[in-house]
Amino acid sequence: MRTRNWMNKRISGIPGRLRKMLKCIRSGEQMKMDAMDDSSDSLATRDYSASGYSSRPGEVEPKIDNSNIEEAESTLRESGYLNYEEARALLGRLEYQKGNIEAALHVFEGIDIAAVTPKMKVSISRRCEQNRRRSQSDAAPPMSLHAVSLLLEAVLLKAKSLQGLGRYEEAAQSCKVILDTVESALPDGLPENFTSDCKLQDTLAKAVELLPELWKLAGAPHEAILSYRRALLYKWSLDTETTAKLQKEFAVFLLYSGCDASPPNLRSQMEGYFVPRNNLEEAILLLLVLMRKLILGRIVWDPSIIDHLTYALAVSGELRALAHQIEELLPTTMERKERACILALCYYGEGKDLVALNLLKNILNDRENGDCVLELLLASKICGENSVCIEEGIDYAYKALSVLEGKCSQVVSISNCLLGVLLSAKSRSAVSDTERISKQSEALQALETAERTTRESNPYVVFHLCLENAEQRKLDSALYYAKQLLKLEAGSSVKGYTLLARILSAQKRFADAETVVNAAIEQTGKWDHGELLRTKAKLQIEQDQLKNAIDTYTHLLAVLQVRTKSASVEKRILKNRRKHDRSLEMETWHDLAKLYTNLSQWRDAEVCLSKSQAINPHSASRWHCTGLLNEAKGLHQEALISFRKALDVDHTHVPSLISTACILRQLGGQSLPVVKSFLMDALRIDRTNPSAWYNLGLLYKADLGASALEAAECFEAAALLEESAPIEPFR
């Protein structure tokens, strides 16, 4: 009785012919396609309200959606009846709209969608053929397009109901039925103006958008990726905004999901077209397509697209491509300050420091730009890496500190750290000892202030504080900070391990330093072993383990060779890394050449130098090694020519300055001031070079006009520096 009252209440609000058809379902009258009686299979005998799914007696009935009724009546006008599945689809929709999800699902589950799917496929296919031929003489499809639309919408609402109940995988499978049906009926995609039925197109668009989300909720990332590709590659006649939304969502999923996607299998791929090979390339491709739409004004401005593209291209090392995309944007699309800052970061990452600095100056010189802390800090960092603008960088750092007074302690710490780095660079170029000592003191003070601000929690600050202490030969403090750095980075930084090993070597603890390097090799990836292996070889040389050193150098060259081959396949390797690897390989050949020269193995040394020449024929280091080889052979004039060629390439190459002075002193015929000038130039560049001090002492000792005290002071400085000299420069 309760069920009958429930059905009567719903039918009473439905006019005309539709009311009669629903009464047929309730009463069990014979219908044209499906024989239904008052058995348990009838809708009327399924007591949903008794189960608590529908409205309770006495509750106010929500207003029936007239658009649904009009659509159902349209279906009736076309077919003359509602069959069992269509009636369930309509009743299920009404329950879903009233918020009775479980009741709606119960209704939808009674639809035998597998039985009607063939009819829907035939109807869709024939409708497409009729549109192409513009002929009405063909046999009528077994179902009207309204009926197809009604049933597909029921499948979509069933998927949403399952989603609401947390049954995500079932929901995805249900939603997939819609796309499978249409794609099977129209393998080449929906033709233009396929149907005037907006409801059907809306259902398809919603299903296309929903399916990837359901797979993500179900924890099936690979299925989600396939669904996104299906949505974007098949012709679903989606509008521009919907397509852009799917492209952005897919790109974000590829970038941050942590799931490795296999390359797409494109059936109609044309020869020579780009096919993405991994997540990053596919995401970049999608984001570039979106950028093109932004530039052409086809979609509304979305700054997050720039953010995601910036991340993707930065990770792939394609900063020049990112700069190109930013430059293509209309001036009104992005603020001038933001555009210049992003471009500066791109050019800085590409190694074009001065171009980046000029872009930042345009911002900093504009008085209308108030808050420019990021720009000031970036300008300071760039200046700290270029000796031509150290003073300018110090001014930027001080200005940043004045702007940040009383603000974010983390940024204040970075500002002090950059100031310390700049003051340290200034001290290395100081002319007088007084200025040098003063700047070193200021640099150490600024770095200690930065360290106190962050309480040793910033690896960047701790590294530079450790480096400055090491260069000032405060080795105990440097060792403390090196250990703190390894703790902060959990032993993952090659740079931290290398610095610790060099500090230990300066304390002449070569065995301990080698132990540290071996531990670093075990803790880090094989592609990061380059500098570690070179350091290990030099430690072995200091311990007179020459054969072991040669084996270590050979291992290093093998690692570099394998990485070079893999880099030719993997195009994403950073340009800076490729450049660093080539430089490391060249210096390794030079180290081997020096080792073979000391062992009087001239032929092996020459082979190493020929390998180096193939990498870079214009290397100051290679010419210096050639000079050392000639000098060891007793060919002093040839050695002098090689040293001078090295200085022609790089006039600040300290080893060549010292070697030139030594050869000139041995050959004679040159005035002592000329020889002294080479040594003084070397000390001006590197005040801590013990060899330069020692040879200057020899020069003073040979000069009858010089005092013995001057020679003694040089020898004393050389001895002190030699006692604390690392196997490789700290910086």
Side-chain angles (χ1 to χ4, degrees), residues 505-680:
S505 72
Q507 295 179 329
K508 308 310 175 189
R509 297 165 57 183
F510 300 118
D512 292 340
E514 188 174 354
T515 300
V516 167
V517 172
N518 288 333
I521 291 173
E522 292 179 1
Q523 294 292 326
T524 56
K526 63 179 180 179
W527 298 132
D528 298 323
H529 290 170
E531 290 292 347
L532 293 170
L533 289 170
R534 189 180 181 210
T535 301
K536 180 178 180 178
K538 291 195 171 187
L539 288 168
Q540 289 168 335
I541 291 172
E542 289 294 331
Q543 299 174 79
D544 292 326
Q545 301 172 7
L546 301 185
K547 187 177 183 303
N548 291 340
I550 292 173
D551 291 340
T552 302
Y553 278 129
T554 304
H555 183 195
L556 168 56
L557 290 170
V559 170
L560 292 175
Q561 185 179 11
V562 172
R563 185 156 68 182
T564 300
K565 289 182 178 179
S566 66
S568 64
V569 177
E570 182 53 74
K571 300 296 184 183
R572 290 194 299 110
I573 187 169
L574 296 177
K575 297 180 180 67
N576 290 340
R577 171 56 69 85
R578 290 199 299 266
K579 183 178 179 181
H580 173 268
D581 287 351
R582 298 296 282 174
S583 175
L584 180 59
E585 183 182 358
M586 183 178 65
E587 293 304 324
T588 301
W589 287 118
H590 294 164
D591 290 345
L592 273 172
K594 291 176 187 176
L595 181 55
Y596 286 130
T597 298
N598 293 335
L599 294 172
S600 300
Q601 297 178 219
W602 317 131
R603 179 58 185 162
D604 291 334
E606 289 170 356
V607 170
C608 292
L609 291 174
S610 67
K611 295 287 187 180
S612 167
Q613 185 177 15
I615 298 173
N616 183 6
H618 306 292
S619 165
S621 179
R622 189 183 71 82
W623 282 116
H624 178 252
C625 290
T626 304
L628 292 177
L629 178 59
N630 288 326
E631 184 181 5
K633 291 179 179 180
L635 306 173
H636 296 293
Q637 288 293 344
E638 288 81 354
L640 183 60
I641 293 172
S642 297
F643 293 144
R644 285 178 172 170
K645 286 183 177 179
L647 292 174
D648 288 340
V649 175
D650 181 7
H651 67 279
T652 64
H653 193 251
V654 172
S656 296
L657 288 169
I658 298 172
S659 296
T660 301
C662 293
I663 288 289
L664 290 174
R665 186 171 57 79
Q666 291 176 19
L667 291 174
Q670 292 285 347
S671 62
L672 293 179
V674 174
V675 178
K676 182 181 177 181
S677 67
F678 283 102
L679 294 173
M680 295 304 293

Side-chain angles (χ1 to χ4, degrees), residues 21 56 145 214 232 238 260 308 333 430-431 454 629 659 681 719:
M21 300 309 300
R56 300 292 188 269
L145 213 54
L214 292 174
L232 296 173
L238 303 175
D260 291 329
H308 296 308
T333 305
V431 177
T454 57
L629 178 59
S659 296
D681 285 344

